[in-house]
Amino acid sequence: MVLYYNERCRKCRDISKFVVFTSFKSIKRIPLSELDNIVEFYEQHPGAKGYPVLFIKEKPIYGGWVFLMVPYAILFGWFHKKQTTN
């Protein structure tokens, strides 16, 4: 699971740190500047502009939903890890 955020936005940085902390570091935090093509990213996900974007199983989640999906992301990560170790 990956959380993309705008590193130039202090609020976005703080929110992304909080999301990673509450997920017990099971979510990886990546600044948008590390993407190869930010313009293409926003073309594919126009509603994500100005929000941190959480990807769970290739599905983007942004806005207030990011916080609501953290418990699901933790459970999904734990379940996936358990499946791969068996």
Side-chain angles (χ1 to χ4, degrees):
M1 289 159 290
V2 178
L3 177 73
Y4 291 102
Y5 70 99
N6 182 350
E7 69 276 9
R8 288 180 262 141
C9 168
R10 183 168 188 247
K11 183 179 174 182
C12 296
R13 284 192 315 262
D14 293 345
I15 289 171
S16 66
K17 287 178 185 177
F18 180 73
V19 167
V20 170
F21 176 76
T22 57
S23 74
F24 305 106
K25 298 189 179 183
S26 64
I27 297 173
K28 186 176 178 183
R29 183 176 164 251
I30 300 175
L32 282 169
S33 63
E34 291 186 15
L35 288 177
D36 293 334
N37 192 342
I38 296 172
V39 173
E40 184 179 315
F41 178 82
Y42 282 129
E43 286 175 358
Q44 292 175 355
H45 312 289
K49 196 165 191 164
Y51 294 104
V53 182
L54 175 65
F55 278 87
I56 300 176
K57 293 171 47 174
E58 306 299 324
K59 180 176 170 52
I61 299 159
Y62 42 85
W65 287 101
V66 170
F67 294 109
L68 296 174
M69 293 304 289
V70 169
Y72 172 77
I74 294 168
L75 289 174
F76 176 75
W78 177 80
F79 182 74
H80 182 69
K81 184 184 279 188
K82 187 151 178 81
Q83 290 292 335
T84 58
T85 58
N86 287 337

